[in-house]
Amino acid sequence: MATKRRPRTQATRSGKRIELTDRDLEIFRALRRYRYLSSTYLHAFVGGASATRLKERLGNLFHEGYLDRPAVQWEQANCRYRPAVYECGAGARRVLAEAEDADDARTFLGAGSHKQFLHSLMICEMLASIELAARARPSLRFIAWPEILQRAPADTRTNAIPFRIPVPSGGFLVPDGLFGLEYGGPQKSYRFFALEADRGTMPVSRTGRSQTSLLGKLEGYRSIIAQQRYKAHWGVPNLLVLTVTSNAGRLARALQGLEGAGGSPALLFRTATGLQLKTPVPSLLEAPWERAALPPIRIDGADQ
């Protein structure tokens, strides 16, 4: 007799006890680091010969209370055509707490629900894509946010919102992500990056300076970089800003706006759609990034 298929959107316990494996623990740790990851990213992190078998295991972990599938994902028009997105459930959080593992979160995403779920997911997918691509390079090491914070000045480490940086003109700027890359070789070198996920929900520009816009946020980065405020706040020696836009039209308008403002060699751009980000995108590390009125550059160390 065929086993009745359990619903994708609602956990339905079978009552069967699950024996957790080391691979299950790696799944839980990956989700603690990134908050939201689909099955394709989890397979890239934990490996295994069969992606199908991993999906089945994720399904069992979901239905037995170890993992959650954020309900908001089912509200999206294309949800039936995307891999299911997971986060740690009560069971996974309990297991990780018992293991007393250190929290090495890659993002600033809190434990509560997120109104801008797709934006939060895009942040996780971009950071995970870059880390996965760096893992495949023996000469590269991905430097996560906790390591940056550990080496930051004391005032930043004790700050309730340490990833928020003051802007010279007033107010604060909060990146979508912060990470670094260590480049191996005869002499190690380092680059640090602020990451911006632009899904097209914010206007590229506005007539009023007090209104939020993509170019307005980038102008804040330009002033922070010009005055090297990242050194005093985060203790990093340099800072590049990676903006991933939703389409080529927005990218062109952003580059044009920056050219008119004098440009900035530290502001880098790429496009990546939600469809492309369904699976890891190694080109976020390996392909050149565009700049306003300047040649593209790579961040994987190939141009150093």
Side-chain angles (χ1 to χ4, degrees):
M1 181 176 178
T3 303
K4 184 178 179 181
R5 186 171 184 177
R6 292 183 283 187
R8 194 183 192 206
T9 60
Q10 182 178 354
T12 307
R13 291 179 182 262
S14 68
K16 183 179 179 180
R17 185 164 187 244
I18 284 187
E19 294 290 340
L20 295 178
T21 66
D22 289 342
R23 194 183 188 206
D24 294 332
L25 294 178
E26 287 306 307
I27 291 169
F28 299 165
R29 292 182 181 114
L31 288 169
R32 182 179 56 189
R33 291 197 302 270
Y34 280 102
R35 178 62 193 270
Y36 301 123
L37 288 175
S38 68
S39 57
T40 53
Y41 283 82
L42 289 169
H43 186 249
F45 273 116
V46 306
S50 173
T52 300
R53 293 292 173 266
L54 176 66
K55 289 179 184 179
E56 292 173 355
R57 184 62 174 179
L58 291 172
N60 289 333
L61 292 170
F62 164 65
H63 287 291
E64 300 306 324
Y66 288 96
L67 300 180
D68 286 340
R69 290 171 177 165
V72 67
Q73 69 183 293
W74 312 125
E75 300 171 8
Q76 311 309 317
N78 64 344
C79 65
R80 297 295 176 183
Y81 307 100
R82 284 187 57 100
V85 175
Y86 291 87
E87 63 180 326
C88 283
R93 291 193 296 271
R94 182 183 66 252
V95 169
L96 291 173
E98 292 172 354
E100 297 182 346
D101 284 349
D103 187 352
D104 55 351
R106 300 325 194 219
T107 75
F108 315 137
L109 300 177
S113 60
H114 297 111
K115 293 181 179 179
Q116 296 182 331
F117 168 74
L118 291 180
H119 181 255
S120 299
L121 177 61
M122 184 177 179
I123 294 168
C124 295
E125 290 172 338
M126 292 191 306
L127 280 168
S129 291
I130 294 171
E131 179 177 3
L132 285 164
R135 284 186 174 193
R137 301 278 197 92
S139 60
L140 290 179
R141 184 175 73 88
F142 184 89
I143 302 172
W145 161 244
E147 184 176 345
I148 295 173
L149 182 60
Q150 185 180 19
R151 297 173 180 270
D155 287 347
T156 301
R157 294 198 306 273
T158 57
N159 193 311
I161 314 176
F163 43 81
R164 186 179 69 172
I165 185 170
V167 179
S169 59
F172 296 88
L173 191 152
V174 178
D176 287 333
L178 280 169
F179 71 97
L181 290 173
E182 178 185 286
Y183 304 89
Q187 186 171 358
K188 291 180 180 178
S189 60
Y190 301 86
R191 279 177 175 166
F192 292 87
F193 306 88
L195 186 67
E196 290 294 327
D198 173 49
R199 293 190 56 252
T201 56
M202 178 190 298
V204 174
S205 61
R206 289 185 186 265
T207 54
R209 293 182 62 85
S210 61
Q211 298 174 305
T212 58
S213 68
L214 176 59
L215 286 175
K217 190 167 190 179
L218 294 173
E219 180 57 35
Y221 276 118
R222 278 180 15 121
S223 61
I224 287 169
I225 291 168
Q227 296 191 17
Q228 299 187 349
R229 290 203 169 193
Y230 52 84
K231 291 185 177 181
H233 189 71
W234 292 315
V236 298
N238 52 60
L239 186 70
L240 298 176
V241 181
L242 307 178
T243 300
V244 179
T245 65
S246 57
N247 59 70
R250 286 182 66 82
L251 174 58
R253 292 196 296 276
L255 291 174
Q256 185 178 21
L258 285 172
E259 285 183 31
S264 173
L267 303 182
L268 284 57
F269 297 85
R270 289 286 309 281
T271 59
T273 66
L275 183 62
Q276 291 171 320
L277 288 166
K278 281 170 53 177
T279 58
V281 183
S283 63
L284 291 180
L285 175 73
E286 298 166 352
W289 290 71
E290 295 190 50
R291 297 183 293 175
L294 289 167
I297 66 169
R298 299 172 63 124
I299 67 169
D300 62 355
D303 60 351
Q304 289 188 323

